[in-house]
Amino acid sequence: MFHHADTTTRRRVAAALLVVAPLVTVASSGQAATADAEGRKAPPVGISASPQRLDLLPRPCLPALLNVEFHNRTAEPTYATAFVRAPAPLRVSDKTVTTYVPPDYDATAPVRVSVPGDTPPGDYLIHLGVERERATVPVVVSAAPDDPGRNLALGQETTSSSLGGLLDPCGAVDGDRTYTTLGYNRPATAWADATPNEFPDQVQTTLAGPARIGRVDLYTHAERRFALRDWDVQALTDAGWQTVAQVRGHTAGRHSSSFTPVTASAVRVNMLATNGYAYSTLVELEVYQQ
């Protein structure tokens, strides 16, 4: 009798285990499903951009501004880093941007976007990413206006022999004929060199493509004591660099140099002397067909 009772008890326990085991399995599966669901939740930092579309002209010295926007979805402050991917011919000032984002707050970081002067019209994409968040920004490049009287140097690639202070060679081809140095959220609108009392100094602008040119206007400082006095205007032709105009004894402001038209791909100003100031100063360089 005792042996039979013991056998019966063991059978009941085994049956009970068969019933309980699936319950344990179901509970385990439910926990895994919950973990997967939590893993698919939106990351703590979201990303977007403003404007939602960029329109560009092929003027590398006149970039468009894209604001990368970070959205902190948590109650904790954080530092967020976004990756900016811009396939050629797009150029961006930063491939990564990092900013502090307060809790439950939005923050922005600016990125400058441009294309080379010879970029054909077309549609392109900028890709943004932070953690698992992704965003894209369409970029539409349009052709430069086909105006025979336009300034061919406007916004084109510009370099210099040196760069002084809070200035920028691009400031000499930005269409602004006033002298302003770099400031908070403000680009420089002029150029000056970094080698006091050493000449020559040079600024070179590469045109969007070979063009027939016959006039170069140069704007130096409006005050004589800071202005250029002597310089040569040179054009890059198939035969190399040619001096197409010479200026001597200038005092201040604008000077226009007309010359026999040549086909050139770049224009260079070779600065030889000032009116006493230690640095060469160029406010604006403009190139015309005639």
Side-chain angles (χ1 to χ4, degrees):
M1 293 289 293
F2 177 78
H3 177 73
H4 175 75
D6 186 52
T7 302
T8 302
T9 300
R10 286 198 299 269
R11 288 174 179 171
R12 288 175 179 171
V13 171
L17 290 175
L18 289 174
V19 174
V20 172
L23 293 178
V24 173
T25 303
V26 171
S28 177
S29 298
Q31 290 170 356
T34 302
D36 289 345
E38 289 176 351
R40 289 194 297 269
K41 284 183 178 178
V45 178
I47 193 169
S48 62
S50 177
Q52 296 181 350
R53 171 184 132 165
L54 283 181
D55 292 282
L56 286 179
L57 290 174
R59 292 171 176 168
C61 267
L62 291 175
L65 189 64
L66 180 70
N67 287 309
V68 180
E69 301 174 336
F70 299 86
H71 314 287
N72 189 351
R73 302 177 175 126
T74 73
E76 298 295 330
T78 186
Y79 280 91
T81 297
F83 297 91
V84 183
R85 187 165 61 88
L90 298 179
R91 299 174 177 174
V92 292
S93 58
D94 302 277
K95 293 185 178 179
T96 60
V97 288
T98 300
T99 189
Y100 172 78
V101 192
D104 195 22
Y105 192 80
D106 294 346
T108 62
V111 173
R112 295 182 300 279
V113 183
S114 64
V115 293
D118 59 355
T119 301
D123 298 335
Y124 307 90
L125 283 177
I126 292 176
H127 302 272
L128 306 175
V130 59
E131 298 184 13
R132 298 193 313 276
E133 289 274 292
R134 299 290 182 269
T136 57
V137 180
V139 179
V140 179
V141 178
S142 301
D146 188 16
D147 177 5
R150 72 186 186 278
N151 171 19
L152 299 174
L154 180 63
Q156 295 307 314
E157 199 87 50
T158 300
T159 58
S160 58
S161 53
S162 65
L163 178 60
L166 301 175
L167 294 160
D168 190 322
C170 280
V173 291
D174 63 351
D176 191 328
R177 296 167 177 171
T178 60
Y179 180 92
T180 305
T181 58
L182 180 70
Y184 177 72
N185 201 28
R186 181 192 69 202
T189 65
W191 167 88
D193 77 288
T195 55
N197 297 311
E198 293 182 15
F199 298 94
D201 298 308
Q202 294 180 341
V203 168
Q204 176 180 323
T205 296
T206 300
L207 306 180
R212 194 77 172 163
I213 64 171
R215 191 181 102 223
V216 170
D217 291 355
L218 185 147
Y219 292 78
T220 185
H221 204 285
E223 294 185 47
R224 177 172 181 167
R225 57 181 176 149
F226 299 123
L228 288 173
R229 187 189 73 195
D230 303 335
W231 67 87
D232 293 340
V233 177
Q234 300 175 328
L236 182 59
T237 69
D238 288 341
W241 285 104
Q242 297 183 15
T243 298
V244 293
Q246 294 181 316
V247 178
R248 302 291 185 268
H250 182 68
T251 54
R254 172 181 178 268
H255 187 283
S256 183
S257 298
S258 296
F259 47 86
T260 302
V262 297
T263 298
S265 58
V267 172
R268 184 168 69 189
V269 179
N270 194 41
M271 291 159 266
L272 306 173
T274 68
N275 285 284
Y277 191 51
Y279 299 93
S280 297
T281 303
L282 180 55
V283 178
E284 194 72 13
L285 171 63
E286 300 177 355
V287 179
Y288 298 95
Q289 289 186 3
Q290 59 183 16

